[in-house]
C-alpha cells in the first residue's frame, strides 16, 4: 500500500526542492518505453509501408526499362534507379523542384485525374544535346526555358518514358498514360489542391558522367481506386498469373515473326563416305523407302510437321500441304522407324 505523506513532510519536501538541497537521484523522471509518433492531421498518411514498398518494386522495373530505352535513344550509357519513394503534400513537392524545369502533365487513363513527371534541367539539356549530335556536356548548369524545338524533342523522350511506365504497371492495372502538356513553371501545373497527399517516386538518372533526378508525382485521389492492389500478396500473385496467361498473346505475336527453314524431304538413303567422295556429275542415287505416289514430308526446322506433294507455282518449284503429321511419342516413333527399316522395297 502506498504511503500517504503528511502536510509537514510535503512542506519539508517543497523546501528542499526550492533550496536545492535534495539529490537529483531522488527525483528521476519515470522512464516511458513507449514510442510516441507525432501525427500531423494536416498531412495524414495515406499509404502504408507495404503499399509504398510495392510502388517501389513497380518502379524498379520501370527504371530498368527506362535504362534500356534511353541508352538506345541517346546512344550512350544511361543508368536509372529508384532513389526514394515518399508521401507528402503536393505543395511540398512543388516547392522542392527548381524553376524553370521540364514538367509533364500526364493523363493516367483509365484512372481519374493526372500525374506529373518532372525531369531536372541538367538532365533535360544533356538529353537534348545528345539528340542534337553533341557529346552530352552542357558546360555548367543551364537555367532557362525550353525553346519550341527543344520542347518537341522532349515530348518524344517523355512519350517513350510513359510507354515504360505502362509496362511497369501492367501487374496492377492496364495503365495508358498520355502526355497532355509540358510546363516549365511548376505554378502552372496545379493538378490537385496544395494540401492533397501524393506519392513521390524519385529516380536518379546518370548519363555518362552527369547525374540528375526525375520525379513521378501521383496524387492519392488518382491512385485511390487501386490502392488495395498495392500489396505484396497481390503483386506476386499477379506476376505468377501473368506469366501463364497475360504474356501468352505477346509471346505468340513475337514468335509469329520468327523465320523458320522449311525442308521438303523427297527421300533418304544411307551412303558410306567413300561413295559420297566418289560421286560425279550424272550419277544417279536411288532413294530407299520412297514411292512415286507417296507424299513428301515437310520439316519445320528439325521437326517433321506436314505431308505435302511436289509441284510448280509459276516457274518455281513448290509443294502443297495436304495433311499434318500427328505428334508421336518417342517409343512409338522408334517402333515405326524399326519396322519400316526392316522392309525390303
Amino acid at each position: 500500500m502506498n504511503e500517504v505523506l503528511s502536510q509537514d513532510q510535503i512542506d519539508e519536501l517543497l523546501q528542499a526542492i526550492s533550496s536545492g538541497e535534495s539529490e537529483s537521484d531522488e527525483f528521476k523522471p519515470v522512464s516511458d518505453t513507449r514510442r510516441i509518433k507525432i501525427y500531423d492531421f494536416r498531412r495524414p498518411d495515406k499509404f502504408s509501408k507495404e503499399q509504398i514498398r510495392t510502388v517501389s518494386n513497380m518502379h524498379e522495373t520501370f527504371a530498368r526499362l527506362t535504362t534500356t530505352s534511353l541508352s538506345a535513344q541517346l546512344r550512350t550509357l544511361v543508368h536509372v534507379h529508384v532513389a526514394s519513394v515518399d508521401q507528402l503534400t503536393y505543395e511540398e513537392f512543388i516547392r522542392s523542384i527548381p524553376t524553370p524545369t521540364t514538367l509533364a502533365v500526364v493523363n493516367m487513363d483509365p484512372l481519374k485525374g493526372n500525374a506529373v513527371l518532372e525531369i531536372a534541367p541538367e538532365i533535360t539539356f544533356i538529353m537534348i544535346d545528345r539528340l542534337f549530335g553533341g557529346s552530352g556536356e552542357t558546360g555548367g548548369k543551364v537555367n532557362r526555358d525550353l525553346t519550341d524545338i527543344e520542347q518537341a524533342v522532349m515530348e518524344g523522350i517523355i512519350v517513350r518514358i510513359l510507354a515504360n511506365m505502362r509496362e511497369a504497371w501492367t501487374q496492377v492495372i492496364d495503365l495508358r498514360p498520355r502526355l497532355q502538356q509540358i510546363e516549365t513553371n511548376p505554378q502552372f501545373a496545379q493538378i490537385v489542391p496544395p494540401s492533397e497527399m501524393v506519392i513521390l517516386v524519385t529516380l536518379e538518372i546518370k548519363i555518362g558522367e552527369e547525374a540528375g533526378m526525375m520525379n513521378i508525382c501521383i496524387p492519392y485521389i488518382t491512385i485511390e481506386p487501386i490502392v488495395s492492389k498495392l500489396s505484396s500478396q497481390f503483386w506476386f500473385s499477379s506476376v505468377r498469373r501473368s506469366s501463364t496467361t497475360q504474356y501468352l498473346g505477346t509471346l505468340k505475336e513475337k514468335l509469329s515473326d520468327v523465320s523458320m527453314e522449311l525442308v521438303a524431304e523427297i527421300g533418304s538413303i544411307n551412303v558410306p563416305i567413300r561413295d559420297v567422295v566418289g560421286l560425279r556429275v550424272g550419277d544417279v542415287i536411288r532413294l530407299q523407302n520412297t514411292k512415286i505416289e507417296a507424299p513428301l514430308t515437310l520439316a519445320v526446322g528439325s521437326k517433321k510437321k506436314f505431308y505435302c506433294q511436289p509441284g510448280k507455282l509459276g516457274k518455281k518449284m513448290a509443294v502443297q500441304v495436304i495433311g499434318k503429321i500427328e505428334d508421336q511419342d518417342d517409343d512409338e516413333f522408334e517402333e515405326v522407324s524399326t519396322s519400316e527399316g526392316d522392309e525390303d522395297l
Side-chain angles (χ1 to χ4, degrees):
M1 186 174 180
N2 295 333
E3 182 181 358
V4 179
L5 299 179
S6 64
Q7 185 61 45
D8 293 337
Q9 291 173 324
I10 294 174
D11 293 340
E12 290 177 2
L13 185 59
L14 293 175
Q15 184 177 1
I17 294 174
S18 60
S19 61
E21 296 176 357
S22 62
E23 297 181 1
S24 59
D25 293 341
E26 298 179 5
F27 304 100
K28 286 184 178 179
V30 179
S31 61
D32 192 349
T33 58
R34 295 175 300 174
R35 297 180 62 184
I36 300 175
K37 180 181 178 180
I38 299 176
Y39 189 86
D40 189 350
F41 287 92
R42 294 173 300 178
R43 44 169 301 173
D45 292 343
K46 298 284 190 176
F47 302 93
S48 66
K49 291 182 179 180
E50 183 182 17
Q51 291 167 346
I52 291 179
R53 188 161 49 247
T54 302
V55 172
S56 179
N57 292 336
M58 292 164 54
H59 286 87
E60 286 288 356
T61 302
F62 167 77
R64 290 193 296 270
L65 295 171
T66 304
T67 295
T68 303
S69 64
L70 286 182
S71 296
Q73 189 174 12
L74 301 180
R75 297 185 179 182
T76 188
L77 183 61
V78 178
H79 180 68
V80 183
H81 74 275
V82 177
S84 64
V85 179
D86 303 296
Q87 54 180 322
L88 64 163
T89 63
Y90 187 69
E91 182 180 15
E92 290 173 327
F93 163 67
I94 291 298
R95 289 182 177 179
S96 66
I97 57 179
T99 302
T101 186
T102 303
L103 203 150
V105 179
V106 180
N107 180 272
M108 298 290 282
D109 185 61
L111 299 176
K112 304 296 183 182
N114 300 323
V116 169
L117 174 68
E118 187 263 337
I119 303 176
E122 55 269 24
I123 293 298
T124 296
F125 287 102
I126 289 174
M127 292 178 178
I128 291 173
D129 187 68
R130 286 292 306 176
L131 292 177
F132 283 175
S135 61
E137 298 178 359
T138 57
K141 187 174 181 181
V142 182
N143 187 18
R144 63 173 176 82
D145 291 339
L146 297 175
T147 64
D148 292 341
I149 296 178
E150 290 171 342
Q151 184 167 325
V153 170
M154 287 306 300
E155 286 180 1
I157 295 175
I158 292 171
V159 167
R160 281 201 176 191
I161 292 175
L162 295 182
N164 298 331
M165 180 186 292
R166 176 178 183 176
E167 188 169 348
W169 281 64
T170 302
Q171 309 299 338
V172 176
I173 185 175
D174 183 17
L175 190 66
R176 298 183 295 274
R178 298 193 311 272
L179 174 63
Q180 284 194 335
Q181 62 191 43
I182 292 180
E183 298 287 352
T184 55
N185 191 333
Q187 301 301 322
F188 297 130
Q190 292 293 337
I191 60 174
V192 289
S195 59
E196 179 70 28
M197 294 299 295
V198 300
I199 190 164
L200 179 65
V201 182
T202 301
L203 302 104
E204 183 179 10
I205 303 179
K206 188 173 183 181
I207 305 176
E209 298 300 323
E210 303 293 333
M213 295 297 178
M214 177 172 68
N215 293 306
I216 301 175
C217 173
I218 308 174
Y220 175 78
I221 193 173
T222 298
I223 205 174
E224 184 179 10
I226 60 170
V227 163
S228 59
K229 296 182 179 181
L230 300 179
S231 63
S232 301
Q233 182 178 0
F234 182 87
W235 171 259
F236 289 113
S237 64
S238 299
V239 170
R240 289 193 296 269
R241 183 172 62 251
S242 63
S243 63
T244 57
T245 59
Q246 183 174 350
Y247 292 142
L248 186 59
T250 303
L251 289 174
K252 288 182 177 179
E253 182 181 353
K254 297 297 183 182
L255 288 174
S256 64
D257 295 330
V258 176
S259 298
M260 295 294 294
E261 183 181 21
L262 298 181
V263 177
E265 184 179 302
I266 300 175
S268 63
I269 185 174
N270 293 325
V271 181
I273 188 65
R274 62 175 176 271
D275 293 342
V276 175
V277 174
L279 289 176
R280 297 290 183 268
V281 177
D283 291 347
V284 177
I285 300 175
R286 183 177 179 180
L287 302 177
Q288 295 177 350
N289 306 332
T290 303
K291 297 181 180 179
I292 296 177
E293 67 275 9
L296 310 182
T297 57
L298 185 64
V300 180
S302 60
K303 190 172 182 63
K304 296 179 180 179
K305 296 293 293 183
F306 304 100
Y307 293 113
C308 61
Q309 60 185 10
K312 293 185 69 175
L313 182 62
K315 296 183 179 180
K316 296 183 178 180
M317 298 293 294
V319 293
Q320 181 182 31
V321 176
I322 59 175
K324 181 178 180 182
I325 299 176
E326 298 295 334
D327 294 334
Q328 297 175 331
D329 295 335
D330 292 340
D331 294 339
E332 296 175 352
F333 182 78
E334 290 177 1
E335 292 177 2
V336 172
S337 300
T338 303
S339 62
E340 289 180 354
D342 293 340
E343 293 180 0
D344 294 329
L345 299 178

